[in-house]
Amino acid sequence: MSDFADGLVPAPIDRDTEPFWLAALDRRLTYQTCDDCGHVVFFPRRHCPSCLSPELSWHDSAGRGSVYTYSIVRASRDPRFVERVPYCVAWIDLAEGFRMMSNVVDTADVRVGMAVEVAWRRSGSWLLPVFAPVGGGDG
């Protein structure tokens, strides 16, 4: 079987998400904070969801966190995913205070609270952030 992310592409790249995807090419997981109220912002956007300020700054995450919740997908009718099952979709709580949806890879025994770190999987010319158990991935 090919790498899990082969053939998957990120959401359309626009002026809000371009810095995130360009950083990912350098294996950097990024997020934003509001310069006015300090709110941690993820997913990338052009204004703070807390105070609506357009003054946002980009930061690099250490890429470490824990599994908040997860689901194992065991069957798929989507032809892009049929060969990939089973796979784990998870919400990851990052140490910097944001939560993101991704995949947990390289484990058969994922659990809530499990420590994970970012790993990277190629999808065409892009790199996608996924997560692996601490010490178990290529992050």
Side-chain angles (χ1 to χ4, degrees), residues 54-107:
E55 302 302 319
L56 301 174
S57 296
W58 286 93
H59 307 277
D60 288 347
S61 167
R64 289 190 170 230
S66 62
V67 174
Y68 171 74
T69 191
Y70 69 95
S71 181
I72 305 294
V73 178
R74 300 189 189 285
S76 177
R77 293 184 181 185
D78 185 324
R80 295 171 300 170
F81 292 91
V82 168
E83 298 295 321
R84 302 173 203 274
V85 295
Y87 59 90
C88 178
V89 177
W91 282 101
I92 308 297
D93 283 339
L94 279 295
E96 292 82 7
F98 66 96
R99 181 176 288 160
M100 72 180 286
M101 183 181 280
S102 187
N103 296 108
V104 176
V105 297
D106 302 333
T107 185

Coordinates of all heavy atoms in Angstrom, one line a residue, residues 54-107:
P54 N -8.2 42.3 12.6 CA -7.4 41.7 11.4 C -5.9 41.6 11.7 O -5.2 41.1 10.9 CB -7.7 42.7 10.3 CG -7.8 44.0 11.0 CD -8.5 43.7 12.3
E55 N -5.5 41.9 12.9 CA -4.1 41.9 13.3 C -3.7 40.6 13.9 O -3.8 40.3 15.1 CB -3.8 43.1 14.3 CG -4.2 44.5 13.8 CD -3.4 44.8 12.5 OE1 -2.2 44.5 12.4 OE2 -4.1 45.4 11.6
L56 N -3.3 39.7 13.0 CA -2.9 38.3 13.4 C -1.4 38.1 13.1 O -0.9 38.6 12.1 CB -3.7 37.3 12.7 CG -5.2 37.4 12.9 CD1 -5.9 36.4 12.0 CD2 -5.6 37.1 14.3
S57 N -0.7 37.4 13.9 CA 0.7 37.0 13.7 C 0.8 35.5 13.6 O 0.1 34.7 14.3 CB 1.5 37.5 14.9 OG 1.5 38.9 15.0
W58 N 1.7 35.0 12.8 CA 2.0 33.6 12.6 C 3.1 33.1 13.6 O 4.0 33.8 13.8 CB 2.5 33.3 11.2 CG 1.3 33.4 10.2 CD1 1.0 34.6 9.5 CD2 0.4 32.4 9.8 NE1 -0.1 34.3 8.7 CE2 -0.5 33.0 8.9 CE3 0.3 31.1 10.2 CZ2 -1.5 32.2 8.3 CZ3 -0.7 30.3 9.6 CH2 -1.6 30.9 8.7
H59 N 2.9 31.9 14.0 CA 3.9 31.3 14.9 C 4.1 29.8 14.6 O 3.2 29.2 14.0 CB 3.4 31.3 16.4 CG 3.0 32.7 16.8 ND1 3.9 33.6 17.3 CD2 1.8 33.3 16.9 CE1 3.3 34.7 17.6 NE2 2.0 34.6 17.4
D60 N 5.2 29.3 14.9 CA 5.5 27.8 14.7 C 5.1 27.1 16.0 O 5.5 27.5 17.1 CB 7.0 27.6 14.4 CG 7.4 28.0 13.1 OD1 6.5 28.3 12.2 OD2 8.6 28.1 12.8
S61 N 4.4 26.0 15.8 CA 4.0 25.1 16.9 C 5.2 24.1 17.1 O 5.8 23.7 16.1 CB 2.7 24.3 16.5 OG 2.5 23.3 17.4
A62 N 5.3 23.6 18.3 CA 6.3 22.6 18.6 C 5.8 21.3 18.0 O 6.5 20.3 17.8 CB 6.5 22.4 20.1
G63 N 4.5 21.2 17.7 CA 3.9 20.0 17.0 C 3.6 18.9 18.0 O 3.5 17.7 17.6
R64 N 3.6 19.2 19.3 CA 3.3 18.1 20.3 C 1.9 18.4 20.9 O 1.6 19.6 21.2 CB 4.4 18.1 21.3 CG 5.6 17.5 20.8 CD 6.6 17.2 21.8 NE 7.7 16.5 21.2 CZ 8.2 15.3 21.7 NH1 7.7 14.8 22.8 NH2 9.2 14.7 21.2
G65 N 1.2 17.3 21.2 CA -0.1 17.5 21.8 C -0.6 16.1 22.3 O 0.2 15.2 22.5
S66 N -1.9 16.0 22.4 CA -2.5 14.8 22.8 C -3.9 14.6 22.1 O -4.5 15.6 21.6 CB -2.8 14.8 24.3 OG -3.7 15.8 24.7
V67 N -4.3 13.3 22.0 CA -5.5 13.0 21.3 C -6.7 13.4 22.2 O -6.8 13.0 23.3 CB -5.6 11.5 21.0 CG1 -6.9 11.1 20.4 CG2 -4.4 11.1 20.1
Y68 N -7.5 14.3 21.7 CA -8.7 14.7 22.4 C -9.8 13.7 22.2 O -10.5 13.3 23.2 CB -9.2 16.1 21.9 CG -10.5 16.5 22.4 CD1 -10.7 16.9 23.7 CD2 -11.6 16.5 21.6 CE1 -11.9 17.3 24.2 CE2 -12.9 16.9 22.1 CZ -13.0 17.3 23.4 OH -14.2 17.7 23.9
T69 N -10.0 13.3 21.0 CA -11.0 12.2 20.6 C -10.6 11.7 19.3 O -9.8 12.3 18.5 CB -12.5 12.7 20.7 OG1 -13.3 11.6 20.6 CG2 -12.8 13.7 19.6
Y70 N -11.2 10.5 18.9 CA -10.8 9.9 17.6 C -11.9 8.9 17.2 O -12.8 8.6 17.9 CB -9.5 9.2 17.7 CG -9.5 7.9 18.6 CD1 -9.8 6.7 18.0 CD2 -9.4 8.0 20.0 CE1 -9.9 5.5 18.8 CE2 -9.5 6.9 20.8 CZ -9.7 5.6 20.2 OH -9.8 4.5 20.9
S71 N -11.8 8.6 15.9 CA -12.7 7.5 15.3 C -11.8 6.7 14.4 O -11.0 7.3 13.6 CB -13.8 8.2 14.6 OG -14.7 7.2 14.1
I72 N -12.0 5.4 14.4 CA -11.4 4.6 13.4 C -12.3 4.3 12.3 O -13.4 3.8 12.5 CB -11.0 3.2 14.1 CG1 -10.1 3.4 15.3 CG2 -10.3 2.3 13.0 CD1 -8.7 4.1 15.0
V73 N -11.9 4.7 11.1 CA -12.7 4.4 9.9 C -12.3 3.1 9.3 O -11.2 2.8 9.0 CB -12.5 5.5 8.8 CG1 -13.3 5.3 7.6 CG2 -12.8 6.9 9.4
R74 N -13.3 2.2 9.3 CA -13.0 0.8 8.9 C -13.6 0.5 7.5 O -13.2 -0.6 6.9 CB -13.6 -0.2 9.9 CG -12.9 0.1 11.3 CD -13.3 -1.0 12.3 NE -12.8 -0.7 13.6 CZ -11.6 -0.8 14.0 NH1 -10.6 -1.1 13.2 NH2 -11.3 -0.4 15.3
A75 N -14.4 1.3 6.9 CA -15.0 1.1 5.6 C -15.2 2.4 4.9 O -15.6 3.4 5.6 CB -16.3 0.3 5.7
S76 N -15.0 2.4 3.6 CA -15.2 3.7 2.9 C -15.7 3.3 1.5 O -15.2 2.4 0.8 CB -13.9 4.5 2.8 OG -14.1 5.6 2.0
R77 N -16.6 4.1 1.0 CA -17.1 4.0 -0.4 C -16.4 4.9 -1.3 O -16.5 4.8 -2.5 CB -18.6 4.2 -0.4 CG -19.4 3.1 0.3 CD -20.9 3.3 0.2 NE -21.5 2.3 0.9 CZ -22.8 2.1 0.9 NH1 -23.6 2.9 0.2 NH2 -23.4 1.2 1.6
D78 N -15.7 5.9 -0.7 CA -15.0 6.8 -1.5 C -13.7 6.1 -2.1 O -12.9 5.6 -1.4 CB -14.5 8.0 -0.7 CG -13.8 9.1 -1.4 OD1 -13.1 8.8 -2.4 OD2 -14.0 10.3 -1.1
P79 N -13.6 6.1 -3.5 CA -12.5 5.3 -4.1 C -11.1 5.8 -3.7 O -10.2 5.0 -3.7 CB -12.7 5.5 -5.6 CG -13.8 6.5 -5.7 CD -14.5 6.7 -4.4
R80 N -11.0 7.1 -3.2 CA -9.7 7.6 -2.8 C -9.3 7.0 -1.4 O -8.1 7.0 -1.0 CB -9.7 9.1 -2.6 CG -9.9 9.8 -4.0 CD -10.2 11.3 -3.8 NE -11.4 11.4 -3.0 CZ -11.7 12.6 -2.4 NH1 -11.0 13.7 -2.6 NH2 -12.8 12.7 -1.7
F81 N -10.3 6.4 -0.7 CA -10.0 5.9 0.7 C -10.1 4.4 0.8 O -9.7 3.9 1.9 CB -10.9 6.6 1.7 CG -10.6 8.1 1.8 CD1 -11.2 9.0 1.0 CD2 -9.6 8.5 2.7 CE1 -10.9 10.4 1.1 CE2 -9.3 9.8 2.9 CZ -9.9 10.8 2.1
V82 N -10.7 3.7 -0.2 CA -10.9 2.3 0.0 C -9.6 1.5 0.4 O -9.7 0.7 1.2 CB -11.5 1.7 -1.3 CG1 -11.5 0.2 -1.3 CG2 -12.9 2.3 -1.5
E83 N -8.5 1.9 -0.3 CA -7.3 1.2 0.0 C -6.6 1.6 1.3 O -5.6 1.1 1.7 CB -6.3 1.3 -1.2 CG -6.8 0.7 -2.5 CD -7.0 -0.8 -2.3 OE1 -6.1 -1.5 -1.7 OE2 -8.0 -1.3 -2.9
R84 N -7.1 2.7 1.9 CA -6.5 3.3 3.1 C -7.1 2.8 4.4 O -6.5 3.0 5.4 CB -6.6 4.8 3.0 CG -6.0 5.4 1.8 CD -6.3 6.9 1.7 NE -6.2 7.4 0.4 CZ -5.1 7.8 -0.2 NH1 -4.0 7.8 0.5 NH2 -5.2 8.3 -1.4
V85 N -8.3 2.1 4.4 CA -8.9 1.7 5.6 C -8.1 0.5 6.2 O -7.5 -0.3 5.4 CB -10.4 1.3 5.4 CG1 -11.2 2.6 5.0 CG2 -10.6 0.3 4.4
P86 N -8.1 0.4 7.5 CA -8.6 1.3 8.5 C -7.7 2.5 8.7 O -6.5 2.3 8.6 CB -8.8 0.5 9.8 CG -7.7 -0.5 9.6 CD -7.5 -0.8 8.2
Y87 N -8.2 3.6 9.0 CA -7.4 4.8 9.4 C -8.1 5.5 10.5 O -9.3 5.4 10.8 CB -7.1 5.7 8.2 CG -8.3 6.3 7.5 CD1 -8.9 7.5 7.9 CD2 -9.0 5.6 6.5 CE1 -10.0 8.0 7.3 CE2 -10.1 6.2 5.8 CZ -10.6 7.4 6.3 OH -11.7 7.9 5.6
C88 N -7.3 6.4 11.2 CA -7.8 7.1 12.4 C -7.9 8.6 12.1 O -6.9 9.2 11.8 CB -6.8 6.8 13.5 SG -7.2 7.7 15.0
V89 N -9.1 9.1 12.3 CA -9.3 10.5 12.2 C -9.4 11.0 13.7 O -10.1 10.4 14.5 CB -10.7 10.8 11.5 CG1 -10.9 12.3 11.5 CG2 -10.6 10.3 10.1
A90 N -8.7 12.1 14.0 CA -8.6 12.5 15.4 C -8.6 14.0 15.5 O -8.2 14.7 14.6 CB -7.4 11.9 16.1
W91 N -9.1 14.5 16.7 CA -8.9 15.9 17.1 C -7.7 15.9 18.0 O -7.7 15.1 19.0 CB -10.2 16.4 17.8 CG -11.3 16.8 16.9 CD1 -12.4 16.0 16.7 CD2 -11.4 18.0 16.2 NE1 -13.3 16.7 15.8 CE2 -12.7 17.9 15.5 CE3 -10.6 19.1 16.0 CZ2 -13.1 18.9 14.7 CZ3 -11.1 20.1 15.2 CH2 -12.3 20.0 14.5
I92 N -6.8 16.7 17.7 CA -5.5 16.8 18.5 C -5.5 18.1 19.2 O -5.6 19.2 18.6 CB -4.3 16.7 17.5 CG1 -4.4 15.4 16.6 CG2 -3.0 16.7 18.3 CD1 -4.4 14.1 17.4
D93 N -5.3 18.1 20.5 CA -5.0 19.3 21.3 C -3.6 19.6 21.3 O -2.8 18.8 21.8 CB -5.5 19.1 22.7 CG -7.0 19.2 22.9 OD1 -7.7 19.8 22.0 OD2 -7.6 18.7 23.9
L94 N -3.2 20.7 20.7 CA -1.8 21.1 20.6 C -1.4 21.9 21.9 O -2.2 22.6 22.5 CB -1.5 21.9 19.4 CG -1.3 21.2 18.1 CD1 -0.1 20.3 18.1 CD2 -2.5 20.4 17.6
A95 N -0.1 21.8 22.3 CA 0.4 22.4 23.5 C 0.2 23.9 23.5 O 0.0 24.5 24.5 CB 1.9 22.1 23.7
E96 N 0.1 24.5 22.3 CA 0.0 26.0 22.2 C -1.4 26.5 22.4 O -1.7 27.7 22.4 CB 0.5 26.5 20.8 CG 2.0 26.3 20.7 CD 2.5 24.9 20.2 OE1 1.6 24.1 19.9 OE2 3.7 24.7 20.2
G97 N -2.4 25.6 22.6 CA -3.7 26.0 22.9 C -4.7 25.9 21.7 O -5.8 26.5 21.8
F98 N -4.4 25.2 20.7 CA -5.4 25.1 19.6 C -5.6 23.6 19.4 O -4.9 22.7 19.8 CB -5.0 25.8 18.3 CG -3.7 25.3 17.6 CD1 -3.8 24.4 16.6 CD2 -2.5 25.7 18.0 CE1 -2.7 23.9 15.9 CE2 -1.3 25.2 17.3 CZ -1.5 24.3 16.3
R99 N -6.8 23.3 18.7 CA -7.2 21.9 18.4 C -7.3 21.8 16.9 O -7.9 22.7 16.3 CB -8.5 21.7 19.1 CG -9.0 20.3 18.9 CD -10.3 20.0 19.6 NE -10.0 20.0 21.1 CZ -10.9 20.1 22.0 NH1 -12.2 20.5 21.8 NH2 -10.5 20.0 23.3
M100 N -6.8 20.7 16.4 CA -6.9 20.5 14.9 C -7.3 19.1 14.6 O -7.0 18.2 15.4 CB -5.7 20.9 14.2 CG -4.5 20.0 14.3 SD -3.0 20.5 13.4 CE -3.5 20.2 11.7
M101 N -8.1 18.9 13.5 CA -8.4 17.6 13.1 C -7.3 17.1 12.1 O -6.8 17.9 11.3 CB -9.8 17.6 12.3 CG -10.2 16.2 11.9 SD -11.8 16.3 11.0 CE -12.9 16.4 12.4
S102 N -7.0 15.8 12.3 CA -5.9 15.3 11.5 C -6.1 13.7 11.5 O -7.1 13.2 11.9 CB -4.5 15.7 12.0 OG -3.5 15.3 11.1
N103 N -5.0 13.0 11.2 CA -5.0 11.6 11.3 C -3.9 11.2 12.3 O -2.9 11.9 12.4 CB -4.6 10.9 10.0 CG -5.7 11.2 8.9 OD1 -5.5 12.0 8.0 ND2 -6.8 10.6 9.1
V104 N -4.1 10.1 13.0 CA -3.1 9.5 13.8 C -2.6 8.3 13.1 O -3.4 7.5 12.6 CB -3.6 9.1 15.2 CG1 -2.5 8.4 16.0 CG2 -4.1 10.3 16.0
V105 N -1.3 8.3 12.8 CA -0.7 7.2 12.0 C 0.3 6.4 12.9 O 0.7 6.8 14.0 CB 0.0 7.8 10.8 CG1 -1.0 8.5 9.8 CG2 1.1 8.7 11.1
D106 N 0.7 5.3 12.3 CA 1.8 4.5 13.0 C 1.4 4.0 14.3 O 2.3 3.8 15.2 CB 3.1 5.3 13.1 CG 3.6 5.8 11.7 OD1 3.3 5.2 10.7 OD2 4.3 6.8 11.7
T107 N 0.1 3.7 14.5 CA -0.3 3.1 15.8 C -1.5 2.2 15.6 O -2.4 2.6 14.8 CB -0.5 4.1 16.9 OG1 -0.8 3.4 18.1 CG2 -1.7 5.0 16.6

